Amino acid sequence: MLEVKSLSKHFGGVQAVRELDLAVNAGDIFGVIGPNGSGKSTLVNLISGVFPATTGEIHFQGQSLSNLSPHARVRAGVARTFQNIRLFPGLTVWQNLWVARNSTEDTRAEGISFRWFRKSGPVKNEIDAMLEFSGLADKGDELASNLAFGEQRRLELARAAATKPRLLLLDEPAAGMNQEEVRDLGRRIRELRQQGMTIILIEHVMELVMGITDRIVVLNFGSKIAEGEPAAIRKDKSVQEAYLGQSEDG
Amino acid sequence: MDYFLNLVNTIGIHTLLGLSAYILLLTGQLSLAQAGFFAVGAYTAAVLTVILGWGILPAIGLAMLITGLLAFLVGFPALRVRGLMLVVATLAFGEFVRMFFYNFRWRVTQEGVEVGPDGTMGFSEIRYFAEHGWTSWEVTSLIWVFVILVMAIIWWADQTRSGAVLRAVGEDELAAGTVGIDVTVVKMAAMTAGGVIAGLAGSLYAHQITMLDHHAFTVLLATFAIAYPILGGVSNVFGTLVAVIFIQGLLVEGLRFLGDWRMLLFGALIIVVMNVKPRGLFDSQTLRWIKSVLRLHLSRRIS
């Protein structure tokens, strides 16, 4: 479904991602791990089009993403969340989800329809379902900035899902969460997969990555050092050296 | 009475000008081009009624169309830059327009009298209302019909998904792009709508004041245009109206005895408000406070 071919990104003299090849199968939860600065977030920014690649190709469902702007990639079916949450803080929870509905046919009519008409109909049902999904059913009219940290993370996940993506990129969604919240997040991610989304999960929290992914790629200094199923990655010597040992100590 | 009506007219016209900047401010764009669009609207509508003999409403309509088109064209290069560079670019555009009209001369003779814009001498004798027997009350009503109409449209737009999209772009452009919003299209739409409204304000201004002079379209007017929505806050359109009443009614007219020293207060006021209330005088917090006070007051009356 997603194919990345010899992708590189330089920031001045720094090579954030070098000659990376990836293939993600439809329906997978695909983990990307690696120490800090190994190029994981850069990879998400490249796939979602926040900045262009220096060299290399990204193909999604046979279509090249390279020349598409971020919003066009969303419409092609690739959505993302951010490591440092980026909601629309001055909009309500409801509005945050509402504006994310871009790729659906009924947005054109919705564009000029009055807020009070939304109290019924398919749009309301859909957004209510998203609120239910993220455990924010009673917070629809709250400003996003008034939500607690965990709620903001859940809203951002729901907002990305509201664009109805085929591929969802999650950039450290469990950062700053406690164990219970992490388990909760794992359930939500599985539920999104069941709805038909393919998921790329970038994460430091090993419990989550090892628990829910089908395949894992390990990055170090922008290059792939290992790829395989979670159990195999756990045993891999080079991975333990580069990352796991270091992470479990800290 | 006429003095009072003139003040009401000025407040109405400046409210429209402020609302044209308000729309851009919603998308996070600070534009100093609004005085330029205002000037283009004023000269276009005046040329249409004075030289070509059009009626007031078609003249206003075409003036709005032309300023909208101009804003659209200016928007393309201008919106490639952001923040301070956008301020500089739009400021340059405003001065460009002003200097254009400073040199713009198109005199024709009608019934033995020479009329039309006369470069440095300005454009006087825009006598549509006087020639067609409009009373001061009727002129004021016309202006305020437009003010109420524009306020209602913007207020309504704010209740729709499109309004939420405008605000989303203003809140976080990068995040807006990553939920599928075409940020460029949204900003261009806001720029065009802002141009149309500024053109409307200008064409009303030209016929109400009856005499255009490039001095009226300096950076001071552009500053007023963005000061209204900044002071009033962007949580709703009424903030802009209140800010105009406050600045034009209280500061400019009420303190006339202070002479040009008033402008000092204007600058000081913006600095104070930006420090005390960074989201404008009528931010959502203040509105909630006003609502709760009103509710308390009402419930006391009932009990």
Side-chain angles (χ1 to χ4, degrees):
Chain A
M1 161 175 253
L2 182 79
E3 259 187 286
V4 172
K5 283 182 205 150
S6 57
L7 188 71
S8 296
K9 178 67 186 178
H10 305 196
F11 294 106
V14 182
Q15 277 212 309
V17 171
R18 47 181 107 181
E19 296 292 315
L20 188 67
D21 292 306
L22 276 184
V24 180
N25 296 325
D28 270 4
I29 298 181
F30 189 90
V32 179
I33 62 173
N36 285 325
S38 61
K40 304 185 301 293
S41 287
T42 306
L43 178 64
V44 170
N45 285 333
L46 290 174
I47 299 175
S48 62
V50 170
F51 38 66
T54 311
T55 56
E57 274 292 320
I58 303 170
H59 286 274
F60 174 68
Q61 295 184 317
Q63 179 191 7
S64 171
L65 294 183
S66 306
N67 294 321
L68 297 184
S69 52
H71 75 267
R73 296 187 193 205
V74 177
R75 288 173 194 189
V78 182
R80 67 166 293 178
T81 64
F82 289 89
Q83 187 177 348
N84 47 344
I85 312 171
R86 299 190 80 136
L87 292 168
F88 305 118
L91 299 188
T92 66
V93 171
W94 219 97
Q95 286 174 317
N96 265 275
L97 296 175
W98 204 17
V99 298
R101 292 168 38 83
N102 280 288
S103 30
T104 50
E105 304 88 38
D106 43 7
T107 38
R108 201 170 286 260
E110 241 176 278
I112 53 164
S113 78
F114 201 68
R115 176 174 58 156
W116 297 339
F117 296 157
R118 74 174 200 220
K119 300 247 159 158
S120 61
V123 178
K124 176 178 170 14
N125 295 341
E126 216 173 281
I127 293 182
D128 280 353
M130 297 306 302
L131 287 174
E132 197 72 46
F133 163 77
S134 41
L136 297 167
D138 54 339
K139 306 241 166 165
D141 290 327
E142 283 277 350
L143 288 183
S145 56
N146 291 346
L147 296 183
F149 177 79
E151 293 172 329
Q152 295 199 1
R153 279 238 178 267
R154 299 208 296 269
L155 176 58
E156 203 195 19
L157 181 65
R159 189 184 65 181
T163 67
K164 296 187 178 161
R166 309 270 181 77
L167 177 67
L168 183 55
L169 311 164
L170 305 177
D171 193 357
E172 298 200 24
M177 285 186 166
N178 63 32
Q179 276 205 321
E180 195 188 330
E181 286 172 323
V182 168
R183 272 196 289 274
D184 202 45
L185 174 67
R187 271 197 298 276
R188 283 180 221 284
I189 293 175
R190 279 208 201 91
E191 201 180 316
L192 290 177
R193 191 245 301 262
Q194 256 166 17
Q195 290 176 16
M197 293 175 205
T198 306
I199 286 152
I200 295 182
L201 173 67
I202 289 185
E203 196 43 81
H204 273 301
V205 179
M206 280 308 134
E207 186 196 338
L208 182 65
V209 181
M210 292 300 170
I212 67 169
T213 54
D214 303 298
R215 281 186 82 75
I216 294 177
V217 151
V218 188
L219 299 185
N220 201 14
F221 298 110
S223 307
K224 179 159 75 176
I225 59 169
E227 179 170 2
E229 291 178 4
I233 293 295
R234 202 194 289 270
K235 292 190 196 110
D236 193 296
K237 273 277 175 332
S238 61
V239 175
Q240 284 174 5
E241 270 168 33
Y243 182 68
L244 288 180
Q246 172 195 1
S247 157
E248 273 161 15
D249 290 343
Chain B
M1 202 68 230
D2 268 2
Y3 163 78
F4 171 73
L5 279 185
N6 274 335
L7 180 58
V8 172
N9 291 345
T10 304
I11 289 173
I13 287 164
H14 278 244
T15 301
L16 288 172
L17 183 63
L19 289 174
S20 82
Y22 172 92
I23 292 186
L24 277 157
L25 211 57
L26 280 186
T27 64
Q29 314 298 308
L30 203 58
S31 158
L32 285 176
Q34 301 316 107
F37 298 136
F38 185 83
V40 171
Y43 273 89
T44 308
V47 163
L48 288 173
T49 59
V50 172
I51 297 180
L52 303 178
W54 285 35
I56 185 77
L57 288 180
I60 289 175
L62 187 64
M64 287 166 75
L65 212 68
I66 286 175
T67 45
L69 192 69
L70 184 66
F72 182 75
L73 293 177
V74 168
F76 269 115
L79 294 180
R80 295 183 71 88
V81 295
R82 40 182 92 174
L84 272 181
M85 289 312 290
L86 178 67
V87 173
V88 173
T90 50
L91 174 66
F93 168 77
E95 279 302 288
F96 170 86
V97 168
R98 191 171 72 84
M99 292 323 286
F100 175 81
F101 287 122
Y102 180 71
N103 291 294
F104 181 56
R105 200 163 180 283
W106 183 9
R107 303 288 281 174
V108 294
T109 308
Q110 278 177 351
E111 295 160 14
V113 188
E114 224 181 63
V115 291
D118 190 9
T120 53
M121 301 302 290
F123 186 173
S124 49
E125 303 285 316
I126 305 167
R127 296 170 46 80
Y128 181 88
F129 287 138
E131 279 169 7
H132 291 78
W134 289 54
T135 65
S136 316
W137 279 103
E138 284 166 344
V139 174
T140 304
S141 307
L142 178 77
I143 291 172
W144 277 86
V145 164
F146 278 116
V147 173
I148 290 167
L149 203 66
V150 169
M151 279 178 82
I153 290 173
I154 297 179
W155 181 82
W156 163 78
D158 214 7
Q159 316 297 317
T160 68
R161 184 173 173 280
S162 304
V165 167
L166 280 181
R167 286 176 184 274
V169 171
E171 296 263 337
D172 190 333
E173 268 183 41
L174 177 60
T178 57
V179 298
I181 296 170
D182 191 335
V183 174
T184 310
V185 165
V186 171
K187 286 206 255 179
M188 288 300 300
M191 190 81 181
T192 307
V196 168
I197 298 171
L200 168 66
S203 50
L204 290 170
Y205 169 80
H207 292 89
Q208 182 255 330
I209 206 87
T210 71
M211 137 105 219
L212 297 177
D213 179 344
H214 71 97
H215 280 123
F217 309 113
T218 58
V219 66
L220 180 66
L221 186 70
T223 315
F224 271 131
I226 55 169
Y228 300 136
I230 288 176
L231 280 178
V234 289
S235 54
N236 67 60
V237 285
F238 303 108
T240 302
L241 175 64
V242 172
V244 173
I245 293 174
F246 186 72
I247 290 177
Q248 289 298 328
L250 229 68
L251 268 185
V252 176
E253 287 305 319
L255 301 178
R256 197 164 272 286
F257 63 91
L258 290 175
D260 282 344
W261 290 95
R262 289 169 298 169
M263 292 307 153
L264 209 74
L265 280 175
F266 174 59
L269 180 77
I270 290 187
I271 293 171
V272 168
V273 169
M274 283 187 151
N275 277 284
V276 180
K277 288 219 161 269
R279 287 181 157 261
L281 280 175
F282 288 83
D283 55 2
S284 50
Q285 206 184 343
T286 314
L287 285 175
R288 223 170 296 148
W289 178 78
I290 293 171
K291 271 183 202 161
S292 70
V293 167
L294 284 177
R295 214 170 292 142
L296 199 72
H297 189 70
L298 285 176
S299 62
R300 258 198 217 132
R301 268 194 167 173
I302 292 163
S303 58

